[in-house]
């Protein structure tokens, strides 16, 4: 019974095992690309896409429900909002702390790291926000487009 | 909160509230209305304060991230953009009352998504009028477009196809704009508008400059549905959900006209754009054809909303023509018409929303005897119709007056004649609707009884009444508006 | 003759991108299948991205990533590094392109559910009925 | 229709090709795009932001406002897709 199910849904032991092995590394690499964007090619968008691809890979090899076990729809919604809020929020925070909008050095009044270090750190913060938003939206786009909006089954 | 950042908060508060609506409104939809209305009220007061400051102290130049303008992105608030900020805030606030009602009825369960897109669209429009950077303008143009695609596609039935048409046309427009900016970037090496305006006249590159002017203008014309490129607008605005139409129809095309004025005045400078007489002549002929054909196509419609969408096409012709008259009266008329047309379109679309809310359709056949069912709504409709026709003292008269004066100054009689013809066609159009509504036999009442009084709910009716009053108030205060604000916009050479 | 050859050698990359753009543009306005229109849009956008990125090229330039401490101590020679600005602009444009494509695909799904086809002629036929 | 599309394509393409006549040669280090803004970014970015990847520095800081809207664009796309397509299986 179980074998027939696995066969008809087109799932393959090799693909499943390979994906299971690859996903943690893909996620690690995605995080590396986001975090190491200051020193090497990379950044929020590129890393976010890799992180999203890890979840899409899960959905492709297993099914949509499996990928939703690792990232429930609610968490996805929170991540996408969080990502956008981090970016806009950091900008607004800079303005509230007496600087101009998105002037990260103004956050020096919050935690004194030095204005130039704050610029570097502010870029890091917003890249993380971009990464979150891009990751969750990529997964969301895949879920919706492959299932026609029901987000329960599909490719 | 210091006032340095106030104009940015006018844009950021709706943006943050959009995120909050998405986060909290999905589970608790009673939070949506306070967030929408609260943030828009903030924007109204903020933009009025900013306008006061601009009129007192002169244009504000603001550098995001505290970088010197050519390197960072510059925001410019001059009298024109301050006026547009107030206009967007007021129209969005008035429209949102009605949208909240009709969305709750038409799209139950999807209010949170709708208002997320709605508020981001408003934030994007604020961003468009604030920005002083050519590439930033492209990004914001795409934000407003993507949210509009989504809002239009939420409608029932044919809305999806209308939205796809809009996506294809809108993308062509955006790509053309981006190409035009690319050509300028290769020539000048900068993206800041003031910087481009400074460098471009010193270059000897007529071919590439002309190409970039052509592509930027064609891109914007597609986005504003200027006559030969207007195919997407009537279906997109006609099939969109009613709640989206009330806000998108008054604002999108007008803000794009503003962008065209901004690009002509502060990127390419009028001297360069109007150097060749044939460009202005060709555009004026196209505008004249747009006005006449938009009005005549409206005559063939059997549905009030579709009729209004064709009138929007005609009105775009008024404004583009006014700008390309290239004289002070023409530009004054065009800028004044942006304000007036936004308010008139808002008024008429709010009427449509109210009628759709009560009876589900605005086809002319279903509007028989509507005056007896919704007298106040229809009173506002009559006022809006008079303004569209251009009867004093409503505001529509004054902007048309300036446009006609400008046409006579420039000797462009085709434009003047088109304006007069379109006013006459508007008389026919609107009196046909009023006749059906006033004298039309009531639908066979049957078990409902002869006359049923079904006025729109107060949340829709009161903003509508306020808009109708604004039409007259703005009309009567044309003099101060032109002398204190719009005269500042007209450049010296005009 | 030599001037023409020089012109070709100096500008041929722009011309290639213009041809690519026009392939996309023709697909957007000339094709009757909605998916082909969408693909045309993607070709158009990709061509514009290539066009912009090629404006940043400097002959013999390096990638715009420098050694932090060396740069802080001795500064950087701008002539050896390609122009970073077009890269930045195109990162943004890529994201915009992805977003538009996503929305367009969703709308296409709705159209397919509504009409059962993505051929424009068949849709028009069904609308007139 | 097809002929019209072909005509529009040819006109647009010709216009674009004519425009390239005024361009500097490809890869020219003296082109305005390479001499006006970019040297300042390249020389000052590390000093002003302590980020060795100049693209990241320009993306995140000098043109951070663009990047903010880039994030908002992709967020919008997600929400637009959700609002256009989302429905529960029960509703069918």
């Amino acid at each position: 019974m179980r074998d027939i199910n696995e066969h008809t849904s087109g799932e393959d032991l090799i693909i499943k095992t390979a994906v299971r092995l690859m996903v943690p590394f893909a996620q690690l690499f995605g995080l590396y690309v986001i975090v190491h964007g200051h020193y090497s090619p990379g950044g929020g968008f590129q890393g976010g896409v890799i992180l999203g691809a890890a979840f899409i890979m899960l959905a492709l090899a297993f099914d949509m429900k499996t990928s939703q076990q690792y990232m429930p729809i609610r968490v996805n919604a929170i991540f996408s909002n969080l990502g956008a809020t981090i970016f806009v929020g950091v900008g607004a925070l800079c303005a509230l702390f007496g600087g101009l909008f998105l002037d990260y050095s103004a956050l020096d009044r919050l935690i004194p790291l030095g204005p130039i270090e704050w610029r570097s750190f502010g870029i890091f913060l917003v890249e993380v926000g971009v990464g979150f938003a891009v990751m969750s939206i990529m997964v969301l786009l895949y879920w919706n487009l492959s299932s026609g909006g029901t987000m329960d089954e599909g490719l | 909160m210091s006032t340095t950042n106030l104009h940015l908060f006018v844009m950021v508060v709706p943006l943050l509230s959009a995120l909050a609506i998405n986060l909290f409104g999905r589970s608790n939809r009673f939070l949506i209305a306070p967030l929408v209305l609260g943030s828009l009220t903030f924007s109204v007061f903020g933009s009025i304060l900013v306008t006061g400051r601009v009129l007192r102290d002169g244009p504000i130049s603001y550098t995001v991230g505290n970088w010197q303008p050519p390197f960072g992105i510059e925001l410019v608030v001059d009298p024109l953009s301050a006026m547009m900020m107030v206009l967007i805030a007021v129209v969005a606030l008035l429209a949102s009352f009605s949208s909240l009602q009709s969305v709750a009825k038409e799209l139950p369960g999807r209010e949170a998504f709708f208002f997320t897109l709605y508020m981001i669209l408003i934030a994007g429009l604020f961003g468009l009028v604030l920005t002083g950077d050519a590439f930033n303008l492209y990004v914001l143009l795409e934000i407003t477009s993507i949210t509009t695609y989504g809002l239009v596609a939420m409608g029932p039935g044919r809305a999806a196809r209308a939205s796809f048409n809009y996506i294809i046309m809108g993308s062509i427009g955006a790509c053309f704009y981006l190409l035009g900016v690319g050509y300028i970037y290769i020539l000048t090496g900068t993206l800041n508008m003031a910087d481009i305006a400074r460098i471009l006249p010193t270059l000897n590159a007529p071919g590439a400059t002309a190409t970039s002017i052509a592509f930027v203008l064609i891109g914007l014309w597609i986005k504003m549905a200027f006559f030969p490129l207007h195919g997407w607008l009537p279906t997109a605005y006609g099939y969109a959900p009613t709640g989206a139409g009330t806000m998108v129809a008054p604002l999108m095309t007008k803000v794009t006209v503003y962008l065209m004025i901004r690009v002509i005045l502060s990127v390419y400078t009028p001297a360069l754009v109007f150097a060749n007489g044939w460009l202005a002549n060709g555009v004026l002929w196209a505008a004249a054809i747009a006005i006449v054909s938009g009005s005549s196509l409206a005559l063939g419609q059997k549905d009030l909303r579709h009729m209004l969408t064709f009138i929007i096409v005609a009105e775009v012709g008024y404004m583009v023509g006014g700008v390309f008259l290239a004289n002070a009266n023409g530009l004054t008329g065009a800028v004044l018409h942006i304000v007036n047309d936004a308010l008139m379109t808002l008024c008429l679309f709010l009427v449509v929303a109210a009628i759709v809310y009560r009876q589900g359709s605005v086809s002319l056949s279903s509007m028989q005897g509507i005056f007896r069912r919704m007298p106040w709504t229809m009173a506002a409709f009559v006022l809006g119709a008079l303004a569209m026709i251009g009867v004093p003292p409503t505001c529509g008269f004054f902007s048309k007056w300036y446009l006609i004066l400008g046409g006579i100054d420039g000797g462009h009689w085709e434009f003047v004649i088109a304006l007069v013809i379109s006013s006459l066609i508007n008389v026919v159009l609107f009196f046909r609707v009023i006749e059906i509504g006033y004298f039309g036999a009531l639908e066979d009442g049957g078990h409902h009884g002869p006359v049923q009084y079904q006025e729109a709910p107060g949340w829709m009716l009161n903003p509508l009444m306020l808009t109708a009053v604004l039409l007259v108030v703005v009309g009567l205060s044309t003099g101060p508006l032109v002398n204190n604000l719009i005269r500042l916009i007209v450049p010296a050479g005009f | 003759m030599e001037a023409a050859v020089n012109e070709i050698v100096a500008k041929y990359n722009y011309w290639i991108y213009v041809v690519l753009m026009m392939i996309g543009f023709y697909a957007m306005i000339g094709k009757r299948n909605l998916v082909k229109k969408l693909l045309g849009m993607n070709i158009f956008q990709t061509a514009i991205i290539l066009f912009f990125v090629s404006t940043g090229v400097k002959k013999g330039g390096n990638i715009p990533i420098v050694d932090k401490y060396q740069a802080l101590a001795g500064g950087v020679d701008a002539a050896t590094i390609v122009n970073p600005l077009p890269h930045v602009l195109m990162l943004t444009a890529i994201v915009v392109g992805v977003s538009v494509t996503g929305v367009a695909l969703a709308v296409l799904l709705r159209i397919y559910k509504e009409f059962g086809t993505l051929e424009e002629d068949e849709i028009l036929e069904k609308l007139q009925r | 229709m097809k002929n019209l599309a072909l005509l529009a394509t040819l006109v647009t393409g010709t216009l674009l090709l004519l425009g390239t006549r005024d361009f500097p040669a490809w890869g020219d280090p003296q082109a305005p795009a390479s001499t006006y803004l970019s040297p300042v970014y390249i020389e000052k970015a590390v000093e002003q932001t302590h980020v060795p990847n100049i693209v990241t520095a320009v993306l995140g800081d000098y043109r951070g406002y663009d990047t903010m809207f880039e994030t908002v664009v992709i967020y919008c796309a997600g929400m637009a897709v959700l609002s256009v397509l989302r429905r529960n299986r029960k509703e069918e």
Side-chain angles (χ1 to χ4, degrees):
Chain A
M1 192 62 193
R2 196 162 154 256
D3 285 2
I4 293 168
N5 270 344
E6 286 190 353
H7 184 71
T8 48
S9 57
E11 292 158 3
D12 193 330
L13 184 68
I14 297 174
I15 293 177
K16 277 186 174 180
T17 317
V19 165
R20 203 187 282 280
L21 279 172
M22 272 166 70
V23 162
F25 291 105
Q27 288 177 328
L28 201 62
F29 182 62
L31 286 174
Y32 165 80
V33 169
I34 294 180
V35 173
H36 214 254
H38 281 30
Y39 295 95
S40 62
F45 179 71
Q46 298 89 325
V49 170
I50 295 173
L51 278 176
F55 287 99
I56 294 174
M57 214 151 59
L58 269 179
L60 277 172
F62 296 86
D63 55 5
M64 207 169 281
K65 280 274 183 281
T66 317
S67 68
Q68 284 171 3
Q69 274 170 11
Y70 290 92
M71 186 195 261
I73 297 176
R74 263 190 92 76
V75 174
N76 185 296
I78 291 172
F79 262 116
S80 56
N81 281 300
L82 189 68
T85 315
I86 286 176
F87 207 138
V88 185
V90 167
L93 211 61
C94 298
L96 288 177
F97 273 89
L100 302 179
F101 194 76
L102 280 172
D103 178 7
Y104 309 123
S105 54
L107 291 177
D108 197 36
R109 283 170 220 173
L110 189 69
I111 306 167
L113 290 176
I116 298 178
E117 281 310 311
W118 253 113
R119 285 206 178 271
S120 174
F121 189 58
I123 293 172
F124 173 73
L125 279 182
V126 299
E127 294 276 11
V128 170
V130 175
F132 281 166
V134 170
M135 169 190 73
S136 49
I137 298 292
M138 284 297 151
V139 178
L140 189 72
L141 286 181
Y142 172 79
W143 281 346
N144 266 297
L145 292 176
S146 64
S147 69
T150 53
M151 286 219 261
D152 53 359
E153 57 187 32
L155 279 176
Chain B
M1 194 188 293
S2 69
T3 52
T4 357
N5 295 313
L6 188 60
H7 56 286
L8 245 163
F9 278 105
V10 170
M11 189 271 302
V12 169
V13 168
L15 190 57
L16 281 173
S17 81
L19 304 176
I21 287 169
N22 198 304
L23 201 56
F24 304 117
R26 287 197 203 185
S27 47
N28 185 355
R29 63 191 175 83
F30 297 103
L31 281 174
I32 295 175
L35 278 168
V36 170
L37 298 178
S39 54
L40 287 178
T41 314
F42 173 84
S43 293
V44 169
F45 285 111
S47 55
I48 290 172
L49 284 177
V50 169
T51 310
R53 203 178 133 211
V54 169
L55 290 180
R56 201 178 59 238
D57 303 341
I60 307 170
S61 165
Y62 183 95
T63 51
V64 183
N66 208 2
W67 296 109
Q68 281 307 303
F71 305 109
I73 291 173
E74 186 188 16
L75 306 184
V76 180
V77 195
D78 59 5
L80 180 58
S81 40
M83 187 196 82
M84 289 303 291
M85 277 172 78
V86 177
L87 181 72
I88 291 168
V90 169
V91 170
L93 180 63
L94 288 172
S96 65
F97 284 103
S98 161
S99 298
L100 282 166
Q101 301 290 317
S102 51
V103 170
K105 190 168 181 184
E106 279 177 27
L107 302 164
R110 290 198 278 172
E111 294 107 321
F113 298 131
F114 182 95
F115 280 102
T116 306
L117 294 178
Y118 189 89
M119 296 304 282
I120 292 179
L121 172 53
I122 294 169
L125 292 174
F126 278 127
L128 276 177
V129 298
L130 282 174
T131 189
D133 189 276
F135 187 79
N136 191 241
L137 199 149
Y138 163 76
V139 178
L140 285 157
L141 206 57
E142 282 297 63
I143 285 196
T144 50
S145 303
I146 286 179
T147 44
T148 319
Y149 305 150
L151 287 175
V152 170
M154 282 172 91
R158 295 185 186 189
R161 191 169 160 273
S163 173
F164 191 77
N165 263 340
Y166 185 15
I167 291 178
I168 292 297
M169 288 306 284
S171 300
I172 294 178
C175 286
F176 274 25
Y177 178 82
L178 187 56
L179 263 177
V181 172
Y183 270 57
I184 313 177
Y185 177 69
I186 293 176
L187 291 178
T188 63
T190 180
L191 292 162
N192 183 285
M193 287 183 184
D195 229 21
I196 294 171
R198 188 175 59 78
I199 295 174
L200 214 50
T202 65
L203 295 173
N204 183 22
T209 313
T211 310
S212 92
I213 292 178
F215 275 78
V216 166
L217 285 183
I218 292 174
L220 291 175
W221 284 337
I222 292 175
K223 288 270 184 192
M224 74 174 76
F226 185 49
F227 168 64
L229 313 163
H230 70 282
W232 57 269
L233 186 138
T235 50
Y237 289 2
Y239 293 113
T242 330
T246 48
M247 202 270 288
V248 173
L251 286 181
M252 273 299 273
T253 50
K254 278 74 198 177
V255 171
T256 323
V257 173
Y258 159 84
L259 292 179
M260 187 187 75
I261 297 177
R262 165 68 64 206
V263 163
I264 290 175
L265 291 189
S266 34
V267 178
Y268 293 113
T269 62
L272 212 57
V273 178
F274 300 126
N276 275 325
W278 57 267
L279 175 68
N281 280 334
V283 173
L284 274 166
W285 272 104
I289 299 171
I291 294 167
V292 175
S293 64
S295 303
S296 359
L297 283 170
L299 270 176
Q301 301 302 313
K302 295 188 174 61
D303 182 289
L304 179 58
R305 186 135 76 109
H306 288 267
M307 191 182 104
L308 293 178
T309 57
F310 281 101
I311 294 180
I312 294 178
V313 175
E315 302 281 323
V316 169
Y318 285 30
M319 289 176 274
V320 176
V323 175
F324 275 83
L325 284 173
N327 57 38
N329 277 332
L331 190 64
T332 309
V335 174
L336 193 60
H337 203 69
I338 290 179
V339 179
N340 295 346
D341 189 43
L343 291 173
M344 297 185 299
T345 319
L346 175 70
C347 179
L348 293 174
F349 268 79
L350 285 178
V351 170
V352 168
I355 297 175
V356 168
Y357 188 82
R358 274 297 175 228
Q359 60 181 35
S361 156
V362 280
S363 64
L364 293 184
S365 57
S366 74
M367 288 178 65
Q368 306 234 336
I370 188 109
F371 270 86
R372 268 160 280 180
R373 272 171 283 157
M374 309 175 78
W376 289 104
T377 309
M378 291 313 282
F381 176 80
V382 171
L383 212 54
L386 291 178
M388 274 286 182
I389 295 165
V391 178
T394 55
C395 56
F397 168 76
F398 297 97
S399 45
K400 277 193 188 177
W401 180 248
Y402 275 108
L403 286 173
I404 289 179
L405 281 183
I408 294 171
D409 285 355
H412 289 284
W413 294 98
E414 72 278 9
F415 186 64
V416 177
I417 293 169
L419 279 174
V420 174
I421 291 177
S422 132
S423 293
L424 293 178
I425 297 178
N426 278 355
V427 172
V428 178
L429 272 176
F430 285 107
F431 275 90
R432 189 178 55 152
V433 177
I434 292 171
E435 187 196 339
I436 290 172
Y438 197 81
F439 299 107
L442 272 178
E443 283 171 50
D444 201 287
H447 42 273
H448 286 302
V451 175
Q452 204 175 22
Y453 182 79
Q454 273 191 321
E455 194 46 87
W459 283 108
M460 295 177 105
L461 191 63
N462 294 332
L464 173 58
M465 289 309 174
L466 189 60
T467 314
V469 173
L470 267 182
L471 290 179
V472 180
V473 171
V474 171
L476 290 178
S477 53
T478 302
L481 194 65
V482 170
N483 287 330
N484 294 330
L485 207 75
I486 298 177
R487 287 283 176 224
L488 299 175
I489 296 161
V490 179
F494 268 39
Chain C
M1 187 62 203
E2 205 182 321
V5 171
N6 279 341
E7 180 84 357
I8 291 170
V9 171
K11 309 279 175 62
Y12 72 96
N13 68 313
Y14 296 123
W15 297 354
I16 291 170
Y17 302 140
V18 169
V19 170
L20 203 52
M21 274 175 218
M22 288 308 110
I23 291 171
F25 184 57
Y26 177 74
M28 281 173 98
I29 58 176
K31 290 286 173 191
R32 307 295 290 167
N33 182 305
L34 300 184
V35 178
K36 285 182 182 166
K37 285 189 175 209
L38 186 57
L39 291 177
M41 185 180 101
N42 276 327
I43 295 174
F44 199 164
Q45 278 169 343
T46 312
I48 293 181
I49 289 167
L50 289 169
F51 179 82
F52 259 90
V53 168
S54 79
T55 65
V57 171
K58 260 182 221 168
K59 288 244 164 65
N62 278 321
I63 55 165
I65 299 175
V66 295
D67 188 311
K68 184 173 171 181
Y69 296 100
Q70 204 181 327
L72 284 178
V76 193
D77 180 16
T80 60
I81 291 178
V82 300
N83 182 357
L85 191 56
H87 300 233
V88 174
L89 303 180
M90 286 310 105
L91 266 172
T92 311
I94 289 169
V95 176
V96 170
V98 168
S99 313
V100 176
T101 311
V103 176
L105 283 172
V107 173
L108 279 183
L109 270 177
R110 274 275 316 267
I111 294 177
Y112 189 75
K113 260 178 217 156
E114 197 89 21
F115 298 102
T117 174
L118 289 175
E119 293 288 337
E120 207 167 16
D121 301 330
E122 293 174 25
I123 292 174
L124 286 176
E125 219 171 83
K126 292 199 176 182
L127 278 179
Q128 276 158 11
R129 234 179 267 156
Chain D
M1 184 64 203
K2 293 238 163 172
N3 291 334
L4 201 66
L6 200 61
L7 187 72
T9 312
L10 288 177
V11 170
T12 324
T14 317
L15 199 59
L16 284 171
L17 287 176
L18 285 180
T20 60
R21 275 186 15 200
D22 297 330
F23 282 2
W26 183 40
D28 180 8
Q30 297 308 315
S34 304
T35 52
Y36 183 38
L37 290 188
S38 79
V40 182
Y41 285 133
I42 295 168
E43 282 160 9
K44 299 281 167 134
V46 182
E47 191 186 313
Q48 287 174 337
T49 64
H50 281 193
V51 176
N53 184 345
I54 300 168
V55 174
T56 304
V58 179
L59 186 79
D61 204 342
Y62 293 92
R63 297 191 72 87
Y65 192 61
D66 267 355
T67 313
M68 184 179 93
F69 284 112
E70 168 201 310
T71 317
V72 175
V73 163
I74 194 141
Y75 177 83
C76 278
M79 293 313 135
V81 169
L82 257 184
S83 58
V84 171
L85 284 179
R86 186 83 178 102
R87 68 206 147 83
N88 291 320
R89 188 133 294 255
K90 283 175 258 165
E91 287 173 22
E92 284 190 354

